[in-house]
Amino acid sequence: MNLKKSYSEKYGYERLITERNSPLAYAELDFLYLSEGQRFTVDERGKEFALVVLRGSCKIYGENFCFQNVGTRKSVFDGVGEAAYFGKDTPFTVEAVGGDVKIAVCKAPAEKFFEPQLFKADSIKTKNLGYGAYARKAAFNVAENAKANLLYIGEFWVEDGNWASFPPHKHDVENMPQEGFLDEIYYFEFDKPAGFGVQMVYSKDGALNEAYKVKTGDSVEIPKGYHPFSVAPGYKGYCLWIMAGKDRGIFCTTEEGHKWMLVK
């Protein structure tokens, strides 16, 4: 099973992870890359959308809403990514402002409609997670601050050989409130062209046991199992994580042999 897909920057709209080419139950990922003044309209029915601006700035508008100057960073290492949410059957148009803009377009099936929502950088919660060699910073861009059906989205930054999603955890069975079923996508960027990391995805029974070298533009699908990540020493790694499930939130189970690390 190959869970890795790659995106190469080019102007326009690209569908990367879809309901037809992925083992995931809910989450999908597209990319939108526009030059200054370029516009693109999305009108896809039956789904909710969350846009995370990876770099650049844009205007996003539609019937009865207009979000100006969404996006404040020059790269994914320049603060948190501003985001916007659009509910079921809500067409929207994106226009690049002040230069190129690169956007991760996250989506999932939707039953209930929610109004458009904007999440500016100063309203997005950040948190330092882990200790020592698994210390990292995380942001919660479209999380408890959002009203949504399935989407729950954030970012994390890892550097110099450190690990993330550690101790290894999973969220692939419905056993609330301890664990919920949420599939997930990781999208990666690195601070230098040669930068890379290793993303693992494995299940307790060994039926799934994958490890991928990931570079800028790579994504890994996580339909089930544990999924720790490590960045190569000397580099900084960025990950956009896109979770989708009926129990929105961090409802996960730590791998049994590593639970002792949670007491720190």
mmCIF file of all heavy atoms in Angstrom, residues 211-253:
data_model
loop_
_atom_site.group_PDB
_atom_site.id
_atom_site.type_symbol
_atom_site.label_atom_id
_atom_site.label_comp_id
_atom_site.label_asym_id
_atom_site.label_seq_id
_atom_site.Cartn_x
_atom_site.Cartn_y
_atom_site.Cartn_z
ATOM 1 N N ALA A 211 7.140 3.101 5.960
ATOM 2 C CA ALA A 211 8.011 4.223 6.314
ATOM 3 C C ALA A 211 8.390 4.940 5.027
ATOM 4 O O ALA A 211 8.793 4.305 4.052
ATOM 5 C CB ALA A 211 9.254 3.747 7.045
ATOM 6 N N TYR A 212 8.245 6.267 5.025
ATOM 7 C CA TYR A 212 8.470 7.063 3.821
ATOM 8 C C TYR A 212 9.470 8.181 4.092
ATOM 9 O O TYR A 212 9.356 8.883 5.110
ATOM 10 C CB TYR A 212 7.169 7.697 3.338
ATOM 11 C CG TYR A 212 6.077 6.711 3.024
ATOM 12 C CD1 TYR A 212 5.083 6.456 3.962
ATOM 13 C CD2 TYR A 212 6.050 6.031 1.814
ATOM 14 C CE1 TYR A 212 4.076 5.549 3.692
ATOM 15 C CE2 TYR A 212 5.036 5.126 1.533
ATOM 16 C CZ TYR A 212 4.055 4.888 2.474
ATOM 17 O OH TYR A 212 3.056 3.979 2.204
ATOM 18 N N LYS A 213 10.425 8.351 3.177
ATOM 19 C CA LYS A 213 11.216 9.571 3.165
ATOM 20 C C LYS A 213 10.344 10.660 2.557
ATOM 21 O O LYS A 213 9.827 10.512 1.452
ATOM 22 C CB LYS A 213 12.482 9.385 2.333
ATOM 23 C CG LYS A 213 13.328 10.651 2.247
ATOM 24 C CD LYS A 213 14.546 10.451 1.356
ATOM 25 C CE LYS A 213 15.371 11.739 1.245
ATOM 26 N NZ LYS A 213 16.542 11.564 0.355
ATOM 27 N N VAL A 214 10.163 11.771 3.293
ATOM 28 C CA VAL A 214 9.306 12.847 2.808
ATOM 29 C C VAL A 214 10.111 14.133 2.661
ATOM 30 O O VAL A 214 10.964 14.451 3.488
ATOM 31 C CB VAL A 214 8.093 13.076 3.737
ATOM 32 C CG1 VAL A 214 7.135 11.898 3.648
ATOM 33 C CG2 VAL A 214 8.523 13.287 5.187
ATOM 34 N N LYS A 215 9.838 14.866 1.585
ATOM 35 C CA LYS A 215 10.461 16.147 1.299
ATOM 36 C C LYS A 215 9.362 17.174 1.072
ATOM 37 O O LYS A 215 8.174 16.859 1.140
ATOM 38 C CB LYS A 215 11.377 16.029 0.083
ATOM 39 C CG LYS A 215 12.497 14.994 0.245
ATOM 40 C CD LYS A 215 13.528 15.076 -0.859
ATOM 41 C CE LYS A 215 14.361 16.339 -0.723
ATOM 42 N NZ LYS A 215 15.464 16.407 -1.711
ATOM 43 N N THR A 216 9.741 18.402 0.799
ATOM 44 C CA THR A 216 8.763 19.460 0.562
ATOM 45 C C THR A 216 7.825 19.067 -0.571
ATOM 46 O O THR A 216 8.270 18.645 -1.638
ATOM 47 C CB THR A 216 9.465 20.780 0.221
ATOM 48 O OG1 THR A 216 10.192 21.231 1.381
ATOM 49 C CG2 THR A 216 8.471 21.848 -0.201
ATOM 50 N N GLY A 217 6.529 19.187 -0.308
ATOM 51 C CA GLY A 217 5.517 18.846 -1.293
ATOM 52 C C GLY A 217 4.912 17.474 -1.112
ATOM 53 O O GLY A 217 3.914 17.139 -1.762
ATOM 54 N N ASP A 218 5.492 16.658 -0.226
ATOM 55 C CA ASP A 218 4.973 15.308 -0.015
ATOM 56 C C ASP A 218 3.843 15.294 1.013
ATOM 57 O O ASP A 218 3.843 16.082 1.970
ATOM 58 C CB ASP A 218 6.088 14.377 0.470
ATOM 59 C CG ASP A 218 7.085 14.036 -0.624
ATOM 60 O OD1 ASP A 218 6.746 14.170 -1.811
ATOM 61 O OD2 ASP A 218 8.219 13.630 -0.275
ATOM 62 N N SER A 219 2.925 14.374 0.813
ATOM 63 C CA SER A 219 1.852 14.123 1.765
ATOM 64 C C SER A 219 1.786 12.633 2.049
ATOM 65 O O SER A 219 2.097 11.812 1.174
ATOM 66 C CB SER A 219 0.499 14.582 1.215
ATOM 67 O OG SER A 219 0.448 15.976 1.058
ATOM 68 N N VAL A 220 1.360 12.284 3.248
ATOM 69 C CA VAL A 220 1.157 10.885 3.619
ATOM 70 C C VAL A 220 -0.249 10.738 4.193
ATOM 71 O O VAL A 220 -0.664 11.494 5.070
ATOM 72 C CB VAL A 220 2.214 10.405 4.634
ATOM 73 C CG1 VAL A 220 1.893 8.988 5.116
ATOM 74 C CG2 VAL A 220 3.609 10.434 4.010
ATOM 75 N N GLU A 221 -0.972 9.739 3.680
ATOM 76 C CA GLU A 221 -2.316 9.430 4.166
ATOM 77 C C GLU A 221 -2.212 8.494 5.365
ATOM 78 O O GLU A 221 -1.382 7.579 5.380
ATOM 79 C CB GLU A 221 -3.122 8.753 3.053
ATOM 80 C CG GLU A 221 -3.209 9.572 1.788
ATOM 81 C CD GLU A 221 -3.402 8.737 0.542
ATOM 82 O OE1 GLU A 221 -3.043 7.535 0.558
ATOM 83 O OE2 GLU A 221 -3.895 9.280 -0.451
ATOM 84 N N ILE A 222 -3.059 8.724 6.363
ATOM 85 C CA ILE A 222 -3.054 7.888 7.564
ATOM 86 C C ILE A 222 -4.465 7.351 7.773
ATOM 87 O O ILE A 222 -5.283 7.957 8.462
ATOM 88 C CB ILE A 222 -2.574 8.691 8.791
ATOM 89 C CG1 ILE A 222 -1.200 9.311 8.513
ATOM 90 C CG2 ILE A 222 -2.506 7.788 10.024
ATOM 91 C CD1 ILE A 222 -0.782 10.364 9.506
ATOM 92 N N PRO A 223 -4.780 6.201 7.173
ATOM 93 C CA PRO A 223 -6.122 5.641 7.328
ATOM 94 C C PRO A 223 -6.322 4.957 8.671
ATOM 95 O O PRO A 223 -7.446 4.808 9.147
ATOM 96 C CB PRO A 223 -6.215 4.638 6.177
ATOM 97 C CG PRO A 223 -4.803 4.214 5.937
ATOM 98 C CD PRO A 223 -3.958 5.420 6.234
ATOM 99 N N LYS A 224 -5.217 4.493 9.259
ATOM 100 C CA LYS A 224 -5.273 3.835 10.561
ATOM 101 C C LYS A 224 -3.849 3.718 11.092
ATOM 102 O O LYS A 224 -2.880 4.005 10.394
ATOM 103 C CB LYS A 224 -5.899 2.442 10.455
ATOM 104 C CG LYS A 224 -5.090 1.457 9.620
ATOM 105 C CD LYS A 224 -5.755 0.084 9.602
ATOM 106 C CE LYS A 224 -4.928 -0.926 8.803
ATOM 107 N NZ LYS A 224 -5.546 -2.270 8.807
ATOM 108 N N GLY A 225 -3.738 3.295 12.339
ATOM 109 C CA GLY A 225 -2.443 2.959 12.907
ATOM 110 C C GLY A 225 -1.681 4.115 13.519
ATOM 111 O O GLY A 225 -2.125 5.267 13.515
ATOM 112 N N TYR A 226 -0.505 3.793 14.030
ATOM 113 C CA TYR A 226 0.389 4.762 14.663
ATOM 114 C C TYR A 226 1.181 5.479 13.573
ATOM 115 O O TYR A 226 1.476 4.905 12.524
ATOM 116 C CB TYR A 226 1.324 4.037 15.635
ATOM 117 C CG TYR A 226 0.589 3.211 16.660
ATOM 118 C CD1 TYR A 226 0.469 1.829 16.514
ATOM 119 C CD2 TYR A 226 -0.004 3.799 17.770
ATOM 120 C CE1 TYR A 226 -0.221 1.064 17.438
ATOM 121 C CE2 TYR A 226 -0.698 3.046 18.708
ATOM 122 C CZ TYR A 226 -0.810 1.680 18.533
ATOM 123 O OH TYR A 226 -1.504 0.926 19.460
ATOM 124 N N HIS A 227 1.563 6.744 13.839
ATOM 125 C CA HIS A 227 2.156 7.537 12.756
ATOM 126 C C HIS A 227 3.165 8.565 13.256
ATOM 127 O O HIS A 227 3.001 9.760 13.048
ATOM 128 C CB HIS A 227 1.061 8.219 11.940
ATOM 129 C CG HIS A 227 -0.055 8.797 12.762
ATOM 130 N ND1 HIS A 227 -1.105 8.030 13.228
ATOM 131 C CD2 HIS A 227 -0.291 10.055 13.187
ATOM 132 C CE1 HIS A 227 -1.932 8.794 13.898
ATOM 133 N NE2 HIS A 227 -1.461 10.029 13.903
ATOM 134 N N PRO A 228 4.262 8.112 13.886
ATOM 135 C CA PRO A 228 5.307 9.050 14.319
ATOM 136 C C PRO A 228 6.110 9.589 13.134
ATOM 137 O O PRO A 228 6.231 8.943 12.092
ATOM 138 C CB PRO A 228 6.177 8.197 15.244
ATOM 139 C CG PRO A 228 5.999 6.801 14.743
ATOM 140 C CD PRO A 228 4.576 6.719 14.274
ATOM 141 N N PHE A 229 6.680 10.774 13.343
ATOM 142 C CA PHE A 229 7.453 11.463 12.304
ATOM 143 C C PHE A 229 8.751 11.983 12.917
ATOM 144 O O PHE A 229 8.774 12.436 14.060
ATOM 145 C CB PHE A 229 6.645 12.633 11.747
ATOM 146 C CG PHE A 229 7.468 13.621 10.946
ATOM 147 C CD1 PHE A 229 7.866 13.322 9.656
ATOM 148 C CD2 PHE A 229 7.836 14.839 11.496
ATOM 149 C CE1 PHE A 229 8.628 14.221 8.923
ATOM 150 C CE2 PHE A 229 8.596 15.746 10.774
ATOM 151 C CZ PHE A 229 8.995 15.437 9.476
ATOM 152 N N SER A 230 9.839 11.956 12.124
ATOM 153 C CA SER A 230 11.108 12.525 12.568
ATOM 154 C C SER A 230 11.726 13.333 11.437
ATOM 155 O O SER A 230 11.664 12.926 10.270
ATOM 156 C CB SER A 230 12.074 11.411 12.979
ATOM 157 O OG SER A 230 13.304 11.967 13.416
ATOM 158 N N VAL A 231 12.311 14.495 11.793
ATOM 159 C CA VAL A 231 13.002 15.324 10.810
ATOM 160 C C VAL A 231 14.500 15.038 10.882
ATOM 161 O O VAL A 231 15.021 14.693 11.947
ATOM 162 C CB VAL A 231 12.710 16.824 11.049
ATOM 163 C CG1 VAL A 231 13.327 17.299 12.352
ATOM 164 C CG2 VAL A 231 13.206 17.672 9.892
ATOM 165 N N ALA A 232 15.197 15.152 9.743
ATOM 166 C CA ALA A 232 16.637 14.915 9.721
ATOM 167 C C ALA A 232 17.374 15.983 10.526
ATOM 168 O O ALA A 232 16.959 17.153 10.536
ATOM 169 C CB ALA A 232 17.141 14.918 8.278
ATOM 170 N N PRO A 233 18.464 15.645 11.211
ATOM 171 C CA PRO A 233 19.248 16.633 11.952
ATOM 172 C C PRO A 233 19.715 17.761 11.041
ATOM 173 O O PRO A 233 20.081 17.538 9.881
ATOM 174 C CB PRO A 233 20.436 15.819 12.476
ATOM 175 C CG PRO A 233 19.929 14.419 12.551
ATOM 176 C CD PRO A 233 19.006 14.281 11.376
ATOM 177 N N GLY A 234 19.696 18.989 11.571
ATOM 178 C CA GLY A 234 20.157 20.149 10.828
ATOM 179 C C GLY A 234 19.089 20.848 10.016
ATOM 180 O O GLY A 234 19.335 21.908 9.431
ATOM 181 N N TYR A 235 17.871 20.276 9.986
ATOM 182 C CA TYR A 235 16.785 20.851 9.183
ATOM 183 C C TYR A 235 15.570 21.163 10.053
ATOM 184 O O TYR A 235 15.408 20.610 11.135
ATOM 185 C CB TYR A 235 16.386 19.887 8.060
ATOM 186 C CG TYR A 235 17.512 19.645 7.087
ATOM 187 C CD1 TYR A 235 18.315 18.510 7.198
ATOM 188 C CD2 TYR A 235 17.793 20.553 6.080
ATOM 189 C CE1 TYR A 235 19.354 18.288 6.313
ATOM 190 C CE2 TYR A 235 18.837 20.341 5.199
ATOM 191 C CZ TYR A 235 19.611 19.214 5.317
ATOM 192 O OH TYR A 235 20.646 19.011 4.451
ATOM 193 N N LYS A 236 14.729 22.031 9.532
ATOM 194 C CA LYS A 236 13.445 22.329 10.153
ATOM 195 C C LYS A 236 12.338 21.746 9.278
ATOM 196 O O LYS A 236 12.352 21.920 8.061
ATOM 197 C CB LYS A 236 13.242 23.835 10.304
ATOM 198 C CG LYS A 236 14.213 24.497 11.261
ATOM 199 C CD LYS A 236 13.924 25.992 11.369
ATOM 200 C CE LYS A 236 14.890 26.667 12.325
ATOM 201 N NZ LYS A 236 14.640 28.133 12.437
ATOM 202 N N GLY A 237 11.414 21.074 9.929
ATOM 203 C CA GLY A 237 10.306 20.482 9.211
ATOM 204 C C GLY A 237 8.989 21.105 9.618
ATOM 205 O O GLY A 237 8.788 21.477 10.780
ATOM 206 N N TYR A 238 8.097 21.225 8.644
ATOM 207 C CA TYR A 238 6.744 21.746 8.867
ATOM 208 C C TYR A 238 5.747 20.690 8.427
ATOM 209 O O TYR A 238 5.942 20.020 7.403
ATOM 210 C CB TYR A 238 6.521 23.013 8.041
ATOM 211 C CG TYR A 238 5.063 23.381 7.855
ATOM 212 C CD1 TYR A 238 4.388 24.142 8.793
ATOM 213 C CD2 TYR A 238 4.355 22.953 6.721
ATOM 214 C CE1 TYR A 238 3.049 24.474 8.624
ATOM 215 C CE2 TYR A 238 3.020 23.284 6.537
ATOM 216 C CZ TYR A 238 2.371 24.041 7.493
ATOM 217 O OH TYR A 238 1.044 24.365 7.323
ATOM 218 N N CYS A 239 4.665 20.550 9.177
ATOM 219 C CA CYS A 239 3.599 19.624 8.811
ATOM 220 C C CYS A 239 2.239 20.268 9.019
ATOM 221 O O CYS A 239 1.943 20.797 10.102
ATOM 222 C CB CYS A 239 3.693 18.342 9.649
ATOM 223 S SG CYS A 239 2.370 17.160 9.304
ATOM 224 N N LEU A 240 1.428 20.227 7.979
ATOM 225 C CA LEU A 240 0.005 20.550 8.086
ATOM 226 C C LEU A 240 -0.725 19.235 8.297
ATOM 227 O O LEU A 240 -0.597 18.317 7.481
ATOM 228 C CB LEU A 240 -0.477 21.220 6.801
ATOM 229 C CG LEU A 240 -1.996 21.457 6.693
ATOM 230 C CD1 LEU A 240 -2.441 22.531 7.678
ATOM 231 C CD2 LEU A 240 -2.378 21.840 5.269
ATOM 232 N N TRP A 241 -1.461 19.126 9.414
ATOM 233 C CA TRP A 241 -2.207 17.887 9.680
ATOM 234 C C TRP A 241 -3.699 18.145 9.536
ATOM 235 O O TRP A 241 -4.243 19.097 10.065
ATOM 236 C CB TRP A 241 -1.865 17.286 11.045
ATOM 237 C CG TRP A 241 -1.852 18.218 12.217
ATOM 238 C CD1 TRP A 241 -0.796 18.941 12.682
ATOM 239 C CD2 TRP A 241 -2.959 18.517 13.095
ATOM 240 N NE1 TRP A 241 -1.174 19.669 13.797
ATOM 241 C CE2 TRP A 241 -2.488 19.430 14.066
ATOM 242 C CE3 TRP A 241 -4.288 18.096 13.152
ATOM 243 C CZ2 TRP A 241 -3.299 19.935 15.077
ATOM 244 C CZ3 TRP A 241 -5.113 18.597 14.160
ATOM 245 C CH2 TRP A 241 -4.609 19.511 15.110
ATOM 246 N N ILE A 242 -4.317 17.272 8.764
ATOM 247 C CA ILE A 242 -5.733 17.418 8.435
ATOM 248 C C ILE A 242 -6.454 16.182 8.938
ATOM 249 O O ILE A 242 -6.327 15.086 8.375
ATOM 250 C CB ILE A 242 -5.916 17.554 6.905
ATOM 251 C CG1 ILE A 242 -5.090 18.719 6.376
ATOM 252 C CG2 ILE A 242 -7.387 17.705 6.552
ATOM 253 C CD1 ILE A 242 -4.570 18.500 4.977
ATOM 254 N N MET A 243 -7.199 16.318 10.003
ATOM 255 C CA MET A 243 -7.986 15.219 10.547
ATOM 256 C C MET A 243 -9.444 15.407 10.144
ATOM 257 O O MET A 243 -9.928 16.536 10.000
ATOM 258 C CB MET A 243 -7.860 15.174 12.074
ATOM 259 C CG MET A 243 -6.448 14.962 12.569
ATOM 260 S SD MET A 243 -6.301 15.076 14.383
ATOM 261 C CE MET A 243 -7.080 13.555 14.883
ATOM 262 N N ALA A 244 -10.146 14.291 9.975
ATOM 263 C CA ALA A 244 -11.563 14.352 9.639
ATOM 264 C C ALA A 244 -12.281 13.169 10.263
ATOM 265 O O ALA A 244 -11.890 12.017 10.057
ATOM 266 C CB ALA A 244 -11.766 14.366 8.131
ATOM 267 N N GLY A 245 -13.304 13.467 11.037
ATOM 268 C CA GLY A 245 -14.085 12.430 11.686
ATOM 269 C C GLY A 245 -15.238 13.034 12.453
ATOM 270 O O GLY A 245 -15.273 14.242 12.710
ATOM 271 N N LYS A 246 -16.174 12.195 12.834
ATOM 272 C CA LYS A 246 -17.381 12.700 13.509
ATOM 273 C C LYS A 246 -17.077 13.187 14.924
ATOM 274 O O LYS A 246 -17.829 14.006 15.466
ATOM 275 C CB LYS A 246 -18.446 11.603 13.522
ATOM 276 C CG LYS A 246 -18.929 11.243 12.123
ATOM 277 C CD LYS A 246 -19.970 10.138 12.138
ATOM 278 C CE LYS A 246 -20.411 9.808 10.722
ATOM 279 N NZ LYS A 246 -21.410 8.708 10.696
ATOM 280 N N ASP A 247 -16.003 12.680 15.525
ATOM 281 C CA ASP A 247 -15.584 13.139 16.853
ATOM 282 C C ASP A 247 -14.387 14.065 16.673
ATOM 283 O O ASP A 247 -13.239 13.644 16.763
ATOM 284 C CB ASP A 247 -15.225 11.949 17.744
ATOM 285 C CG ASP A 247 -16.400 11.015 17.949
ATOM 286 O OD1 ASP A 247 -17.455 11.479 18.401
ATOM 287 O OD2 ASP A 247 -16.266 9.816 17.637
ATOM 288 N N ARG A 248 -14.649 15.336 16.392
ATOM 289 C CA ARG A 248 -13.588 16.292 16.117
ATOM 290 C C ARG A 248 -12.776 16.546 17.391
ATOM 291 O O ARG A 248 -13.332 16.920 18.411
ATOM 292 C CB ARG A 248 -14.164 17.619 15.607
ATOM 293 C CG ARG A 248 -14.913 17.519 14.297
ATOM 294 C CD ARG A 248 -15.504 18.862 13.892
ATOM 295 N NE ARG A 248 -14.476 19.866 13.672
ATOM 296 C CZ ARG A 248 -14.326 20.961 14.397
ATOM 297 N NH1 ARG A 248 -15.117 21.206 15.428
ATOM 298 N NH2 ARG A 248 -13.352 21.815 14.121
ATOM 299 N N GLY A 249 -11.471 16.350 17.311
ATOM 300 C CA GLY A 249 -10.630 16.611 18.470
ATOM 301 C C GLY A 249 -9.504 15.614 18.574
ATOM 302 O O GLY A 249 -9.354 14.714 17.746
ATOM 303 N N ILE A 250 -8.691 15.777 19.627
ATOM 304 C CA ILE A 250 -7.554 14.888 19.855
ATOM 305 C C ILE A 250 -8.017 13.760 20.769
ATOM 306 O O ILE A 250 -7.863 13.816 21.992
ATOM 307 C CB ILE A 250 -6.366 15.657 20.471
ATOM 308 C CG1 ILE A 250 -6.034 16.879 19.625
ATOM 309 C CG2 ILE A 250 -5.153 14.725 20.586
ATOM 310 C CD1 ILE A 250 -5.580 16.571 18.206
ATOM 311 N N PHE A 251 -8.631 12.752 20.183
ATOM 312 C CA PHE A 251 -9.088 11.579 20.915
ATOM 313 C C PHE A 251 -8.274 10.388 20.412
ATOM 314 O O PHE A 251 -8.620 9.751 19.423
ATOM 315 C CB PHE A 251 -10.583 11.353 20.700
ATOM 316 C CG PHE A 251 -11.443 12.517 21.121
ATOM 317 C CD1 PHE A 251 -12.065 13.305 20.175
ATOM 318 C CD2 PHE A 251 -11.606 12.820 22.468
ATOM 319 C CE1 PHE A 251 -12.858 14.383 20.558
ATOM 320 C CE2 PHE A 251 -12.383 13.891 22.860
ATOM 321 C CZ PHE A 251 -13.016 14.684 21.904
ATOM 322 N N CYS A 252 -7.173 10.106 21.099
ATOM 323 C CA CYS A 252 -6.235 9.106 20.579
ATOM 324 C C CYS A 252 -5.714 8.203 21.700
ATOM 325 O O CYS A 252 -5.784 8.542 22.884
ATOM 326 C CB CYS A 252 -5.074 9.785 19.860
ATOM 327 S SG CYS A 252 -4.168 10.965 20.873
ATOM 328 N N THR A 253 -5.162 7.070 21.271
ATOM 329 C CA THR A 253 -4.597 6.089 22.187
ATOM 330 C C THR A 253 -3.101 5.958 21.920
ATOM 331 O O THR A 253 -2.686 5.766 20.774
ATOM 332 C CB THR A 253 -5.266 4.708 22.003
ATOM 333 O OG1 THR A 253 -6.657 4.831 22.299
ATOM 334 C CG2 THR A 253 -4.646 3.678 22.936
#
